[in-house]
Amino acid sequence: MWKKQTAIALLICLTAVLLCGCAQEQTTYPEANTAPVVAQQPQQPVRQVDVLGTPTDPPAIVVDFPDDYDPDLEDDGSDEYYEDEEPEEDSTAMLLSSYSSVSSQYAGATPIPLDPVDMPTPTPRPDLEFQYETYDTAMGFSFEAPVGWEVDQDDGTTFIMRDPETRDNVNATFTLTSQNVSSSYRASELRTELSNQLSQIQRNYVGWRIWTADSRQLLKSEGVYNAYRGVMYDETIVRGIVHVALVGNRVITLSFSAPGYYNNSYQRVYNRIRNTIQ
């Protein structure tokens, strides 16, 4: 009897030992549809200097061609003009027109004009008529210019007169200057002088065009001239001419600037001065 009880006790102990061993070896498996955890790698910071050092393509060059103009102007004293400023297309209309090619014809519920022809154009300016009188300058020159124009400066080197009437935010201004040069100065250098003067004028404008320089006498001496078109910050258009000539040992410059839409009218004034100066 005792032996039987002892055997039963040993069997119970062995069973307990086996159960403990199985419990230690049990493996825990993840539940289904549970994504494994992946160790995150630390991100490398992008240095600002690397971004700024990335090369970019240069902007495309916009070529702005000048208005049509016949450079074959003869120095025969006749009245020849660069044309008045043409009415320009409304910039908003041009933008809408280009946008319409990739978008709907209407913006919102209200239709708006998309073609520049639907937009109003500036009213054409009438030709100006002037009465002329003789002006004497301290430089020793005289010429005919419009009656009633105001003289802003008159000394031994500079004569400036302007139209007191403001048109398109501009008062037309005519300038006559005299600059002494050495006896070695040649008429072939006048084109460089003309280019330098035009470069100085260009600084006053955000938009700029010049035409082709051409020869023309002034005071019966060799000269060269060119026309320009400038656009100011407020989009005011100015047209003008710079004419330089070698007279003895002096470089004489006759120039004017005027509202672009009255260009022809003020070129007639320039021609009158050029043909009568002495």
Side-chain angles (χ1 to χ4, degrees), residues 15 25 65-66 72 85 155 185 188 195 198 210 257 269 274:
T15 302
E25 295 177 359
F65 294 97
D72 299 325
E85 190 68 30
D155 54 37
Y185 193 98
S188 58
S195 179
L198 288 171
I210 58 175
S257 61
V269 177
R274 182 178 68 88

Side-chain angles (χ1 to χ4, degrees), residues 187 190-191 214-218 221-225 243-246:
L190 289 174
R191 290 183 180 269
D214 200 4
S215 299
R216 170 168 283 179
Q217 288 190 347
L218 179 66
S221 302
E222 290 187 67
V224 61
Y225 77 107
H243 189 171
V244 296
L246 180 60

